[in-house]
Amino acid sequence: VFGLLVRHRVMRSPTPAGWLVLAVFLLFSSAGSAWRSFRPPGSLQPVATALGTVRLPDREARTVRSLQAALARAPAGGLFVAGGGPGWYLVSGRPNPTRFDAVWHGLGTTEPEAGRILEDLRADPPAAVLVERDFRLPENLSLDRIWAAVGRPDSSRTTTPDGRWTLRLPRPR
């Protein structure tokens, strides 16, 4: 939009009105961007993580805290994130039992890599599996295959306040 405005209005007819329109556009677009990025200090909540304290918006802070509480009740061991959240490994302080930080359908997880993920899960089953709602896993890395590799989940589950993530614990073998 900005380029079209400059090209068709200001450069073709460099009148004071054209320059005024350009100045107003720049002022409001810059002010809007600055306003959206501004957060009052009280709107960010401190959250203790394995990496130290981070400050997060209220909604994300509630999500992280709910999963931290659930992971604190879970047995010690690894965490596997079935979805697009590799940051959970860092926030939780739990190791990923696979060689892959993120599982992306069609973008970053090929069919052979999906097979390697299942092999890694069988060799070192995680104590907890975090599943992202509505996340499309690669076809040969379905939740059924993941549960077959790590053990069927027990009946407990913790879902984050926003419903995006569910933590499940595999039954001990």
Side-chain angles (χ1 to χ4, degrees), residues 2-53:
F2 173 69
L4 291 174
L5 177 68
V6 170
R7 186 170 171 213
H8 292 290
R9 292 287 177 210
V10 177
M11 295 310 213
R12 287 194 179 166
S13 58
T15 63
W19 288 110
L20 180 63
V21 168
L22 176 62
V24 168
F25 177 79
L26 288 174
L27 175 69
F28 283 109
S29 65
S30 300
S33 295
W35 181 255
R36 282 189 301 275
S37 65
F38 174 73
R39 290 184 188 270
S43 70
L44 297 177
Q45 301 297 317
V47 177
T49 71
L51 299 174
T53 301

Side-chain angles (χ1 to χ4, degrees), residues 30 35 40 53 71 78 85 106 124 133 135 140 146 155-156 165:
S30 300
W35 181 255
T53 301
L71 283 167
D124 184 16
R133 180 191 71 218
F135 189 83
N140 71 343
I146 291 170
S155 60
S156 70
W165 296 95

Side-chain angles (χ1 to χ4, degrees), residues 85-152:
W88 288 113
Y89 299 116
L90 300 173
V91 170
S92 71
R94 289 185 176 238
N96 177 356
T98 75
R99 299 167 255 192
F100 302 92
D101 293 328
V103 178
W104 301 101
H105 175 77
L107 185 59
T109 306
T110 64
E111 296 293 319
E113 289 171 336
R116 283 190 225 107
I117 289 171
L118 291 172
E119 289 170 13
D120 290 348
L121 291 173
R122 279 186 210 97
D124 184 16
V129 176
L130 186 58
V131 180
E132 186 175 8
R133 180 191 71 218
D134 300 331
F135 189 83
R136 187 167 172 220
L137 292 165
E139 290 177 19
N140 71 343
L141 191 62
S142 67
L143 278 177
D144 286 336
R145 290 183 181 211
I146 291 170
W147 295 128
V150 302
R152 288 280 168 206

Side-chain angles (χ1 to χ4, degrees), residues 73-90:
R73 294 186 302 269
L79 169 71
F80 178 68
V81 178
W88 288 113
Y89 299 116
L90 300 173

